[in-house]
Amino acid sequence: SQSKVRPISQSQDDETFNLMISYSHKNKELCKQVYDELVKVGYRVWIDFEQMHGNVMDAMAQAIEQAQTVIICLSEDYRKSNYCR
């Protein structure tokens, strides 16, 4: 029998996420595949697929605070991005 991945925490509310994915928009296609697979097995994931409006730094900081784990998709484009750094 296949074992199913369990979410990191069983106690969630609408304000928390198991994971937050931080990535460069130049790597969006690969990160979308990672996101889709994580959601498929039951994780609650925050990711920015659209350009954020308003204060981007505040939105990213809030997402990090609300996530139990942050996944960084490290690439040369990520390293060069002010938002990702």
Side-chain angles (χ1 to χ4, degrees):
S1 77
Q2 279 187 317
S3 64
K4 224 178 157 158
V5 177
R6 291 185 189 166
I8 294 170
S9 170
Q10 297 298 324
S11 61
Q12 297 180 44
D13 58 41
D14 290 340
E15 301 296 318
T16 64
F17 297 89
N18 299 125
L19 307 163
M20 182 266 196
I21 299 177
S22 180
Y23 69 104
S24 165
H25 278 263
K26 293 181 179 177
N27 306 121
K28 181 177 180 177
E29 188 175 313
L30 176 61
C31 292
K32 171 82 166 87
Q33 293 172 6
V34 171
Y35 169 85
D36 288 344
E37 290 301 315
L38 289 168
V39 168
K40 191 186 308 181
V41 296
Y43 288 104
R44 185 152 186 232
V45 183
W46 187 99
I47 191 167
D48 164 32
F49 284 135
E50 303 301 322
Q51 295 292 333
M52 287 184 279
H53 302 287
N55 190 327
V56 174
M57 293 297 190
D58 282 351
M60 289 173 64
Q62 184 176 8
I64 290 168
E65 289 294 323
Q66 292 174 337
Q68 296 167 341
T69 302
V70 176
I71 296 174
I72 297 173
C73 298
L74 192 58
S75 66
E76 186 62 20
D77 291 319
Y78 185 96
R79 189 186 68 77
K80 291 177 182 177
S81 168
N82 285 333
Y83 286 114
C84 295
R85 286 193 290 134

